[in-house]
Amino acid sequence: MENPIEIGHLSASSINSYLDCGLQFKFAKIDKREPEAIAEALIFGTTIHKIIELYHHERSIGTRLSVMDVTAAFEKCYTEAFEQQAGKIQFKEGKDFDSTLLEGKSLLATYVTQFPETGLKVIGLEKAFSFQIEGVPIPIVGVMDMVEEDAGGNIVIVDHKTSSRSYSSDDIDKSLQLTIYGMAAKANGYADREIMLRFDCLVKTKKPKFEQYYTVRTEEDELRAMKKIQAVYRGIMQGVFIPNDTSWKCKGCSYQQCCRDWFAN
Ligand code: SF4
């Protein structure tokens, strides 16, 4: 008999992970199995993220890092991250450490040269949040990459992304992550402000691009998100973990052997 299901919280990424492939979610979050491999994209994205955070930390105290500063910081962090995970990292076909290192430097150079001077003030970096929604007894948690404020006191919640393609209007308007961040901002001290949401996206095209996408959420969007989260919570607690074996995620899945075993037994 399987152990009772225990889960302490949900986040935008765990909810999306459940929706993308319930079985992968189960392996990672319920069974807490060690991943069989680590996708290079994860190390890459995490390191880019860390350097962008450093860039904005410096910006918040009035310093502008140069292209050379950020590319040198990236090289150091990326090399260290690889050394720590030696032997477990899985590259996509045609990629290796050197090619991804170059790609990271080129993306960050694009970021530094194209990040616009908007006059917005950084008022928070890596801001953790937690809030409750009706019908879900565990908290919804997460971390906002950056919170900015304009001269009128309006708030902009920013999430940094790296992506292989530009985002579509659906990606922006229907992002559950941004809806959750908007709800979290209201529940965590900004309920009396206008809240805007933004993805800052580095696009990994041959010539890298930096794109910013602004959006807002309505009460109806929040209600839809709440219903969806309630359904996800019910699904988890009832042990519904459906494999999505036609997902784009299968190729880079860190639980491919567990998945084969699950189908075989
Ligand atoms: S291989 Fe595909 S179906 Fe199997 S757990 Fe991973 S993402 Fe899900």
Side-chain angles (χ1 to χ4, degrees):
M1 202 173 114
E2 296 237 358
N3 291 330
I5 291 165
E6 281 177 25
I7 184 158
H9 58 257
L10 283 171
S11 65
S13 75
S14 67
I15 293 164
N16 279 328
S17 156
Y18 178 82
L19 293 168
D20 286 338
C21 176
L23 189 60
Q24 190 196 58
F25 173 90
K26 177 180 185 290
F27 292 147
K29 303 289 181 193
I30 305 298
D31 303 346
K32 299 190 187 336
R33 296 191 199 200
E34 277 291 309
E36 294 153 12
I38 299 171
E40 156 273 323
L42 183 67
I43 308 255
F44 184 86
T46 306
T47 314
I48 293 271
H49 195 283
K50 208 187 250 183
I51 305 304
I52 290 178
E53 189 200 339
L54 172 72
Y55 176 79
H56 289 293
H57 171 73
E58 294 299 310
R59 185 180 145 232
S60 72
I61 54 172
T63 311
R64 284 286 171 161
L65 293 183
S66 66
V67 167
M68 209 184 275
D69 293 330
V70 294
T71 52
F74 178 76
E75 179 158 3
K76 183 170 179 289
C77 287
Y78 195 53
T79 307
E80 282 170 4
F82 259 79
E83 284 169 358
Q84 276 166 19
Q85 302 292 347
K88 281 197 108 182
I89 296 164
Q90 201 171 46
F91 283 97
K92 273 193 191 155
E93 216 179 298
K95 292 203 171 189
D96 61 16
F97 175 78
D98 290 335
S99 67
T100 51
L101 176 65
L102 270 181
E103 185 178 33
K105 287 179 166 185
S106 163
L107 280 171
L108 286 165
T110 303
Y111 190 89
V112 170
T113 48
Q114 296 186 13
F115 187 83
E117 283 289 353
T118 52
L120 295 173
K121 192 170 117 198
V122 178
I123 58 167
L125 287 169
E126 299 296 307
K127 239 177 144 19
F129 65 78
S130 172
F131 68 103
Q132 300 280 153
I133 63 168
E134 200 187 304
V136 178
I138 55 174
I140 313 301
V141 302
V143 178
M144 295 169 193
D145 289 346
M146 180 160 73
V147 183
E148 293 182 321
E149 185 182 38
D150 70 13
N154 302 312
I155 297 297
V156 187
I157 312 290
V158 183
D159 192 69
H160 307 307
K161 296 279 184 209
T162 48
S163 167
S164 53
R165 59 170 180 82
S166 293
Y167 279 24
S168 67
S169 51
D170 261 8
D171 291 332
I172 315 299
D173 295 339
K174 295 188 177 167
S175 161
L176 179 66
Q177 183 189 15
L178 288 182
T179 312
I180 287 177
Y181 284 13
M183 293 161 83
K186 281 188 189 165
N188 286 264
Y190 299 121
D192 58 342
R193 313 277 196 103
E194 281 295 318
I195 297 166
M196 282 176 280
L197 305 158
R198 194 177 87 215
F199 275 146
D200 279 5
C201 191
L202 271 169
V203 189
K204 298 191 270 181
T205 33
K206 205 165 181 192
K207 187 168 184 282
K209 292 187 285 188
F210 174 65
E211 294 175 341
Q212 290 189 312
Y213 310 100
Y214 279 88
T215 187
V216 289
R217 289 294 186 267
T218 62
E219 268 184 34
E220 191 191 336
D221 295 325
E222 292 179 3
L223 220 68
R224 285 176 68 97
M226 194 170 86
K227 287 269 190 187
K228 202 164 171 177
I229 298 168
Q230 288 167 343
V232 165
Y233 179 73
R234 282 197 303 274
I236 294 169
M237 296 316 286
Q238 287 164 15
V240 180
F241 301 114
I242 299 169
N244 181 5
D245 59 348
T246 54
S247 167
W248 60 272
K249 280 191 137 188
C250 292
K251 225 173 169 188
C253 177
S254 301
Y255 296 98
Q256 290 179 6
Q257 187 56 51
C258 296
C259 183
R260 279 192 287 274
D261 293 347
W262 185 90
F263 273 105
N265 290 304

